[in-house]
């Protein structure tokens, strides 16, 4: 099941959804980039009880956790450190470098989520090249089906630092995937990822939950070419 929803501020709907799943003690995957910052700030204002929830990350840049490019740092500053009842946080250790960080994250995923991980909610963004998490067009990580977390030695976009990313088997196994995309500079990528027909070379077009729901939350500018 996939549904596209257009809002004046799609971040409001995402903040509500995150708060609901957190209250239910869900396993939640947050994403990086700049778009979710507003949604995270709104969720911090809601200040739901996240204490039974666990927060993971879709991908991470290989920098220290206090670095301005760190996805963890952004989510922590905008949301996690502001919550009265914070969740358990499983971050990707960017300071270890891509191979070691992917290995460490994989081990935690297998230990806590089992051999067939089914997250309650995975939040994702979309790059202007239609990348998702750190799955960039034409890169070998797109074909990784054995590992849950893959090292990405060459990022397809700035910041040009190695990354670690969740792979399609994890993304597509989720109970719910929510995309949050805003801005006119994403309209082409949105059309490639979610248009009819989608472009198979657009990494985001290959996110299709096998037994879950998928919601695409857009603002009007991002939805303009659908
Ligand atoms: C990252 C992300 C990435 C992001 C998109 C969109 O580490 O960069 O997790 O997949 O969601 O690049 O980013 P913006 O919101 O900054 O455009």
């Amino acid at each position: 099941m996939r549904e596209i929803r257009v809002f004046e501020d799609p971040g409001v709907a995402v903040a509500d959804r995150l708060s609901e799943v957190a209250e239910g003690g869900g396993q939640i995957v947050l994403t990086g980039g700049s778009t979710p910052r507003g949604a995270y700030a709104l969720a911090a204002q809601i200040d739901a009880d996240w204490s039974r929830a666990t927060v993971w990350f879709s991908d991470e840049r290989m920098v220290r956790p206090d670095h301005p490019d760190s996805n963890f740092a952004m989510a922590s500053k905008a949301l996690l450190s502001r919550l009265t009842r914070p969740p358990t946080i499983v971050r990707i250790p960017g300071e270890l470098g891509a191979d070691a960080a992917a290995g460490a994250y994989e081990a935690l995923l297998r230990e806590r989520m089992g051999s067939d991980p089914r997250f309650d909610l995975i939040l994702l963004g979309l790059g202007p090249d239609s990348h998702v998490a750190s799955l960039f067009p034409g890169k070998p990580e797109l074909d990784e089906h054995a590992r849950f977390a893959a090292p990405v030695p060459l990022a397809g976009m700035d910041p040009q630092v190695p990354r670690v990313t969740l792979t399609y088997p994890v993304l597509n196994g989720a109970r719910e995937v929510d995309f949050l995309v805003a801005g006119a500079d994403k309209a082409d990528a949105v059309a490639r990822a979610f248009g009819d027909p989608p472009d198979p070379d657009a990494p985001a077009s290959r996110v299709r939950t096998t037994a879950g729901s998928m919601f695409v939350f857009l603002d009007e500018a991002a939805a303009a070419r659908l």
Side-chain angles (χ1 to χ4, degrees):
M1 175 273 201
R2 192 190 76 177
E3 201 176 299
I4 296 179
R5 297 182 179 173
V6 182
F7 296 90
E8 197 176 317
D9 178 2
V12 175
V14 167
D16 285 344
R17 200 62 204 113
L18 285 171
S19 303
E20 281 163 15
V21 177
E23 290 266 4
Q27 298 286 334
I28 298 174
V29 174
L30 297 181
T31 201
S34 54
T35 312
R37 191 179 285 121
Y40 293 166
L42 289 170
Q45 276 170 30
I46 295 170
D47 200 18
D49 181 357
W50 287 62
S51 61
R52 291 190 308 115
T54 302
V55 164
W56 304 72
F57 289 85
S58 67
D59 63 319
E60 185 57 277
R61 294 95 178 259
M62 294 300 100
V63 293
R64 293 186 47 81
D66 55 356
H67 190 279
D69 287 337
S70 161
N71 285 336
F72 164 77
M74 187 278 284
S76 177
K77 206 167 157 199
L79 171 62
L80 303 171
S81 68
R82 298 188 184 192
L83 294 166
T84 312
R85 287 145 297 180
T88 299
I89 300 168
V90 187
R91 69 175 182 87
I92 304 173
E95 67 277 19
L96 299 184
D99 286 329
Y105 201 45
E106 176 94 24
L108 287 167
L109 284 159
R110 289 189 184 271
E111 184 189 311
R112 298 183 185 208
M113 299 296 293
S115 57
D116 186 18
R118 299 208 63 202
F119 281 97
D120 294 300
L121 177 59
I122 298 186
L123 178 65
L124 294 171
L126 181 71
D129 57 353
S130 196
H131 80 261
V132 62
S134 282
L135 295 165
F136 293 96
K139 296 277 163 95
E141 298 80 38
L142 300 178
D143 298 314
E144 176 62 62
H145 297 295
R147 285 187 285 189
F148 297 152
V152 181
L154 291 173
M157 270 192 74
D158 287 343
Q160 296 287 355
V161 289
R163 319 277 185 104
V164 166
T165 186
L166 290 179
T167 57
Y168 286 119
V170 179
L171 303 183
N172 290 340
R175 295 200 163 85
E176 179 175 329
V177 167
D178 289 357
F179 273 90
L180 171 62
V181 194
D185 59 325
K186 300 285 176 70
D188 278 337
V190 166
R192 291 179 62 213
F194 309 117
D196 189 17
D199 176 353
D201 294 332
S205 74
R206 290 162 58 179
V207 179
R208 298 267 160 170
T209 50
T210 46
S213 320
M214 184 164 136
F215 297 96
V216 182
F217 295 102
L218 304 174
D219 68 359
E220 281 172 21
R225 300 207 180 118
L226 276 180

